[in-house]
Amino acid sequence: MGRLEFDYMTHIGFSEPVDEHTFVLRCLPRKDRGIHIESAAVEISPTAATTRQLDSFGNTLTVGSIRAPHTQIEYRSQGAVRVDRYAGGLGDGPQTESDPEPHPLYRYPSPLTSPDAGLVSFAESFGRTHATVDARMCAELSHTVHETMEYAPRTTSVRTTAAEAFAARHGVCQDFAHVLSTLLRLYGVPARYVSGLAEGEGQTHAWVEAYVGSRWRGLDPTRDKLADDGYLPLACGRDWMDCPIENGSFHGYVTQEQTVHFTVRRTA
């Protein structure tokens, strides 16, 4: 178990004033088994009218609007969370209570995780069948994705599919997570894409949770490790399109410049 203090900030500047700005943020910790939220709050500038909601994936949403003209928006989430989400980890760790059976949608392709012939062939070459998929095999598959792909910033976009990233053999954490999710689902393993923060500082991160052995287990193919208690999930879905940290719309024809920074510090 770990206690994490987090401070996450995004600043978006517009080249000209915009108005009638509506937005949806997924910047607060996701409520889930093994995650105890001690405190969590969002500050938005300029001041915005907001409501708190849950989406169909169980993610916490901050929904708001700024009607008056503005040239920037900044939102900041801060708080503290106790995480025991992956107690026991993968392999031979102690057993914990089962997670609820996942929704069937996590077993099937999504817009960004539809397999092509290349991914299907790769899955077949890995030499496993549905009957042999266990926690250790999932970890091995995550390691194989890490070894097969190169981390290459600014070579893909949020709309790049798993098939495109795998064909190019490079991408960022989002692409690694999409590829691993696609392969797991080809083996019949429910898999969900997770957006969140990892212990340290920098940019947001993405990883995968696979449902094996009656539990969701975290896998980080980008960093080639298990997602342990130093990982703080903000949102999950079938792929990135289900759980962007920030999206919205406004009136105005402008260019945007975005800066993101966070710190996650383990305090116990």
Side-chain angles (χ1 to χ4, degrees), residues 112-113 119 141-153 155-157 160-166 168-184 192-194 205-208 219-225:
L112 297 179
T113 62
L119 279 164
L141 185 58
S142 179
H143 172 71
T144 300
V145 171
H146 174 82
E147 291 293 302
T148 302
M149 295 183 64
E150 176 187 0
Y151 185 83
T155 59
T156 57
S157 75
T160 299
T161 67
E164 292 167 341
F166 186 74
R169 295 297 196 273
H170 61 233
V172 293
C173 60
Q174 171 185 297
D175 304 297
F176 281 63
H178 283 154
V179 169
L180 180 57
S181 295
T182 303
L183 293 171
L184 287 167
R192 61 189 186 188
Y193 175 98
V194 185
H205 194 42
W207 60 96
V208 176
L219 303 162
D220 184 349
T222 307
R223 299 181 178 182
D224 196 20
K225 60 178 292 187

Side-chain angles (χ1 to χ4, degrees), residues 14 18-25 42-53 61-70 72-75 246-251:
F14 304 107
V18 302
D19 59 16
E20 299 298 322
H21 187 173
T22 61
F23 55 85
V24 178
L25 309 178
V42 180
E43 297 179 358
I44 299 171
S45 177
T47 302
T50 63
T51 60
R52 192 74 56 80
Q53 303 176 18
L61 309 181
T62 300
V63 181
S65 63
I66 304 173
R67 303 299 182 186
H70 53 286
Q72 63 179 16
I73 181 173
E74 182 175 286
Y75 60 91
E246 181 270 335
N247 62 340
S249 63
F250 51 77
H251 289 170

Side-chain angles (χ1 to χ4, degrees), residues 53-64:
Q53 303 176 18
L54 289 179
D55 67 13
S56 57
F57 296 97
N59 303 315
T60 300
L61 309 181
T62 300
V63 181

Side-chain angles (χ1 to χ4, degrees), residues 231-253:
Y231 284 67
L232 179 59
L234 300 179
C236 75
R238 299 166 301 167
D239 60 32
W240 175 87
M241 293 179 66
D242 289 333
C243 52
I245 302 298
E246 181 270 335
N247 62 340
S249 63
F250 51 77
H251 289 170
Y253 186 75

